[in-house]
Every structure is written in structure tokens, then in C-alpha cells.
Amino acid sequence: MKIFKNRGSIYIPKSNMKSDREQKFLFACLGVLITGALVVLIIFGVRYHFSLKEFFRPNDLQTAAETGDTAAVNLPDVSGKTNFVILETDNDAESLHFALLVQFDMDSNTYKAAAVGPDIRADNIPLDQAYEQGGAAAVLRALNEEFSLSVDNYFTFTDKNFTSMFDELGSATYAFTDSIRDELNGDDGFYVRVSAGEQKVDGDLCLRLIRYWCQIENDYTACNNFLVSMLTELFNDELYTDRLNKFSSVINLVTDTDMTVNDYTELEDVLQVACSEFTGMNVYYPEAQAQNGSFTDDSVQSIRSSFSK
């Protein structure tokens, strides 16, 4: 039907049927397009973790953690060697059980550790006798004379506080090749029980094992191997993150130490590098053997060279 007006013609369709079909067809096409777009967005979202950064990231780009590229990690530039001595005594602080020599060698990013038992002669005197006569100072003098050891800081712990210090730093595991069942009798005796295989090590077991290797088994190589393994597990990113609380707790547990707040502050960069997963610290321990209450000449030389600066 066509109506004539002054300004051209106006057409009035006879029916709306054709228009309705066209609208339905267009709406159906639009629905298909929207559904398809949503499917594509979900697929790509899952693939790229719903992150535009991941979507536009080149396929061949890898992070420092993926490549092990330590240059991409902002770690301080450190060097030098720091020697620590840890003395462990009975709970009355009257008898010495062992001394531990520990070095952070940041020239080669290496942990070094060695144990010295109470009956080992240093500067011609058993270490426990030196402690009874002059305390920590006498032990440090004997160690320095025997091993030409330059000590930066020392710490003295009783049995109870040594175990607490270890537990404060964290926990570790160790793979034992054989089971251990043994004991040392006496008022200051102890026992140790551990099964073969990988076992969790806490402060109490750590203390018993060191005493076992130093005072019963006389196996210093096994003990030193154990010590460097504990260092690699305890010094990690988690410890560094909570370093101030850890340091405060450890200092409160020592019987005697010469470490000051300034000493700790100067070691913070070393601690950061040593604890970082990107550093990949190495380990080294001297293979020491003792005979008749003294280290062999080769063992003494090996310890000297290991902890020299």
C-alpha cells in the first residue's frame, strides 16, 4: 500500500512476518557469536592464568627462577671469609662436650664445618680440660694455636639451649646409611636411636648425633658431613626473612658470646646471599681422623687449610 504525500511516498508493509523472521535470525547469529567469544576467552584465560601479562609474554622468555640466572636477582656483592666457633657444654656449663668450627666462605660461596671432641688435644691439652681451666677463652686460644684459627665470633650453649637454638633456626632431614643404637654411660651420659633412611632431625637429635660421632664412634668425617648438610638446610630464605627475630632468640639462648649488634649488622649481606635460593651454596668439610686423643698430622693440616683466611 502506498500513500502519496506532499513529500514523497511512504510505504506501509502489508505484514510484519518477514521482519520478525529477520530479527530472530539476527538474534540467533548474535547469540552464537557471543557464546563463541566467551568460550575463546575462557580457553585463553585458563591457558594464561587470566593474566594479560602472561598473554603478551614471549614464549622464549624465562624468569631468573626458571633459568637459575643469579644475575637477574638483586643480591649484594659480598666476599671474604668469616669463622665462627660454637662451644657446647652440659646444662651446668661445667663440662665441654664439643666445639664446632664453621666458616662462611663468600669468596667461593661455600659452607665449611668441622667438629672437635672434648678429648682431642689442642695445644697439648685436651679441649675439655682447657675449658675447665679457663672457660671459652682458654678453648679459643687452644684452637687458635692448634689450627692457626682466626675466630670472628664464638657462642657457648648448654645442652638445653643448643637444642632450642637449632629448633629456633628451623628443621632439617638427613639420610642415614645405617641405623644407630648406642649410648654413653655416666652422669653426663646420653643415648642415641635413629633408623636408617631419611629422617627428620630436630635440635635434640642433632646434639646427640654430634656427641655420638665425637665421643663414642670417633668418626669426625661422618660428623663433619652431617654438619654441612644441616647448614644447607637451616640457612634458607625463610630464615633470612625472619632474621631479626631469629637472631634475638639465639642471642638470648647463649651462655657466652662476643658477638655484638654491630657484628650482626655487618654480616647481614653475607646472610642474605647465603640464604638465597639463587646462590647455590657449596659445602666442604675436612676428612679428619683422630688417634690416641689427637688429630693426625694430615687432619690438622686439612682443618688449617679449610679455615684459613
Side-chain angles (χ1 to χ4, degrees):
M1 179 178 178
K2 183 162 64 175
I3 302 175
F4 294 95
K5 296 290 184 179
N6 293 331
R7 296 186 179 180
S9 303
I10 298 177
Y11 294 88
I12 300 177
K14 295 180 179 179
S15 172
N16 290 328
M17 185 178 300
K18 183 178 180 180
S19 176
D20 290 342
R21 284 200 302 268
E22 290 174 348
Q23 286 181 347
K24 290 179 180 179
F25 176 77
L26 291 174
F27 280 126
C29 292
L30 182 61
V32 170
L33 289 173
I34 293 174
T35 302
L38 289 174
V39 171
V40 170
L41 286 174
I42 292 173
I43 292 174
F44 276 87
V46 173
R47 169 64 179 80
Y48 296 103
H49 309 289
F50 297 94
S51 170
L52 285 175
K53 181 178 179 181
E54 288 290 323
F55 179 79
F56 289 108
R57 177 189 180 194
N59 292 329
D60 59 347
L61 179 64
Q62 291 181 298
T63 64
E66 294 168 339
T67 63
D69 180 14
T70 57
V73 182
N74 187 24
L75 291 175
D77 185 17
V78 295
S79 61
K81 302 173 183 179
T82 308
N83 286 331
F84 303 99
V85 170
I86 298 174
L87 306 179
E88 202 281 331
T89 73
D90 65 348
N91 282 324
D92 294 325
E94 295 178 349
S95 300
L96 182 72
H97 292 154
F98 56 78
L100 303 181
L101 317 181
V102 177
Q103 183 182 92
F104 281 43
D105 181 354
M106 305 315 294
D107 292 334
S108 61
N109 289 344
T110 303
Y111 293 125
K112 301 175 185 178
V116 184
D119 61 339
I120 294 296
R121 300 180 72 84
D123 193 23
N124 296 318
I125 183 174
L127 217 59
D128 57 352
Q129 187 176 331
Y131 181 78
E132 290 173 3
Q133 293 179 355
V139 174
L140 293 174
R141 282 195 301 269
L143 292 173
N144 179 61
E145 185 66 26
E146 186 73 10
F147 303 115
S148 301
L149 186 67
S150 175
V151 180
D152 292 281
N153 294 110
Y154 76 91
F155 308 87
T156 304
F157 295 93
T158 62
D159 279 345
K160 180 180 178 181
N161 288 350
F162 182 90
T163 60
S164 298
M165 176 271 294
F166 187 99
D167 293 335
E168 179 66 31
L169 294 180
S171 62
T173 58
Y174 190 73
F176 295 89
T177 56
D178 300 297
S179 61
I180 300 174
R181 300 284 188 277
D182 216 327
E183 63 184 74
L184 180 69
N185 297 319
D187 294 338
D188 196 25
F190 67 97
Y191 68 90
V192 58
R193 304 283 188 272
V194 63
S195 301
E198 187 170 289
Q199 305 294 337
K200 181 178 178 180
V201 178
D202 61 9
D204 181 65
L205 180 57
C206 177
L207 172 63
R208 293 171 187 266
L209 286 168
I210 297 174
R211 293 192 66 187
Y212 163 76
W213 280 310
C214 290
Q215 295 179 262
I216 298 177
E217 192 66 16
N218 200 37
D219 189 347
Y220 287 95
T221 297
C223 188
N224 297 344
N225 179 30
F226 171 77
L227 292 174
V228 293
S229 178
M230 295 300 98
L231 288 172
T232 58
E233 293 210 32
L234 292 176
F235 285 84
N236 51 40
D237 286 316
E238 182 179 348
L239 184 147
Y240 180 75
T241 299
D242 197 27
R243 61 193 180 281
L244 294 179
N245 289 331
K246 301 288 188 184
F247 174 73
S248 177
S249 298
V250 168
I251 289 298
N252 287 331
L253 291 170
V254 299
T255 305
D256 187 22
T257 184
D258 62 348
M259 174 167 270
T260 65
V261 174
N262 287 336
D263 292 332
Y264 168 78
T265 302
E266 292 176 359
L267 288 171
E268 275 219 324
D269 286 349
V270 170
L271 189 62
Q272 181 180 359
V273 174
C275 290
S276 174
E277 63 177 312
F278 297 105
T279 301
M281 292 290 288
N282 305 302
V283 296
Y284 178 81
Y285 59 90
E287 296 185 1
Q289 294 181 341
Q291 296 177 354
N292 302 320
S294 298
F295 281 131
T296 63
D297 291 341
D298 288 343
S299 298
V300 171
Q301 185 57 43
S302 178
I303 294 173
R304 284 182 178 178
S305 61
S306 297
F307 293 92
S308 66
K309 290 189 175 185

